[in-house]
Amino acid sequence: AVQLVESGGGLVQPKESLKISCAASGFTFSNAAMYWVRQAPGKGLEWVARIRTKPNNYATYYADSVKGRFTISRDDSKSMVYLQMDNLKTEDTAMYYCTAVGFAYWGQGTLVTVSS
Amino acid sequence: DIQMTQSPASLSASLGETISIECRASEDIYSNLAWYQQKSGKSPQLLIYAANRLQDGVPSRFSGSGSGTQYSLKISGMQPEDEGDYFCLQGSKFPYTFGAGTKLELK
């Protein structure tokens, strides 16, 4: 069965950095584009970042709201995808979900809270 | 970016009632539309993909339809376990975009 397990969330202050991770299993990770999607408390879903596969040069894409501050990366040898979040803002407070296989599968999420 | 307008924002249905939720895209998305259910405190679960294809394991009372810019999700016979939030997602053009969601409650 497909499993996506996020980790690394927590409470940080504005302008600080945080790196969250997602461990994937149950599918051929190296063949799958991976995504991060977030959901602010009581709000809807927002796509954050995308990373493609090796044949696609690991191309990355970002929502305008995080461009220049967030970096998505992957380690195919470990079936892991990461989101490095720098210069965090209070509006980045959200549950962050890892998703794969065309958004068919989602992890349980990891909560990132940005507050002074 | 493609805008997804979802309606209604909230809905209250009686047990056994048939309900519909709509999503309208700002341009043709060629049936590249998915529907998700999200229960409180849980991650979204895929119900429908490619506008009308039922995801494995999803009850047959859920169905999707539509084309072009107009899409709908129908629940034929509301059940207590159907309470939750429902979102549409367009996968036609990057960046993929979500509808704002519909909160469905049992009356």
Side-chain angles (χ1 to χ4, degrees), chain A residues 35 37 39 43-47 50 61-62 64 97 102-108, chain B residues 1 36 38 41-46 55 85 87 89 94-100:
Chain A
Y35 304 82
V37 173
Q39 186 172 36
K43 301 296 185 182
L45 297 161
E46 178 190 19
W47 164 80
R50 171 197 190 196
Y61 307 82
Y62 300 94
D64 287 344
Y97 295 103
F103 294 84
Y105 301 101
W106 297 61
Q108 86 289 349
Chain B
D1 298 0
Y36 295 84
Q38 186 178 31
K42 301 293 187 182
S43 56
Q45 299 294 308
L46 178 65
Q55 175 72 348
D85 295 324
F87 296 93
L89 166 68
F94 209 72
Y96 304 143
T97 45
F98 293 90

Side-chain angles (χ1 to χ4, degrees), chain B residues 24-96:
Chain B
R24 175 170 49 85
S26 57
E27 61 184 81
D28 195 328
I29 57 172
Y30 305 100
S31 297
N32 290 299
L33 185 101
W35 290 97
Y36 295 84
Q37 177 194 64
Q38 186 178 31
K39 297 188 178 182
S40 182
K42 301 293 187 182
S43 56
Q45 299 294 308
L46 178 65
L47 301 172
I48 301 285
Y49 63 97
N52 60 14
R53 305 285 295 270
L54 192 67
Q55 175 72 348
D56 289 346
V58 175
S60 58
R61 63 180 179 274
F62 291 91
S63 63
S65 64
S67 62
T69 61
Q70 301 272 5
Y71 298 86
S72 64
L73 171 72
K74 184 166 76 172
I75 305 176
S76 300
M78 175 75 179
Q79 299 299 307
E81 59 266 32
D82 298 337
E83 279 195 318
D85 295 324
Y86 290 80
F87 296 93
C88 63
L89 166 68
Q90 71 80 15
S92 177
K93 186 184 287 187
F94 209 72
Y96 304 143

Side-chain angles (χ1 to χ4, degrees), chain A residues 24-76:
Chain A
S25 61
F27 63 102
T28 306
F29 181 82
S30 59
N31 290 348
M34 297 297 296
Y35 304 82
W36 286 98
V37 173
R38 69 183 180 184
Q39 186 172 36
K43 301 296 185 182
L45 297 161
E46 178 190 19
W47 164 80
V48 172
R50 171 197 190 196
I51 186 165
R52 299 185 72 179
T53 59
K54 185 176 181 180
N56 294 292
N57 298 313
Y58 298 121
T60 57
Y61 307 82
Y62 300 94
D64 287 344
S65 56
V66 306
K67 201 172 294 182
R69 300 188 298 120
F70 288 14
T71 304
I72 187 172
S73 61
R74 63 190 296 162
D75 185 336
D76 289 348

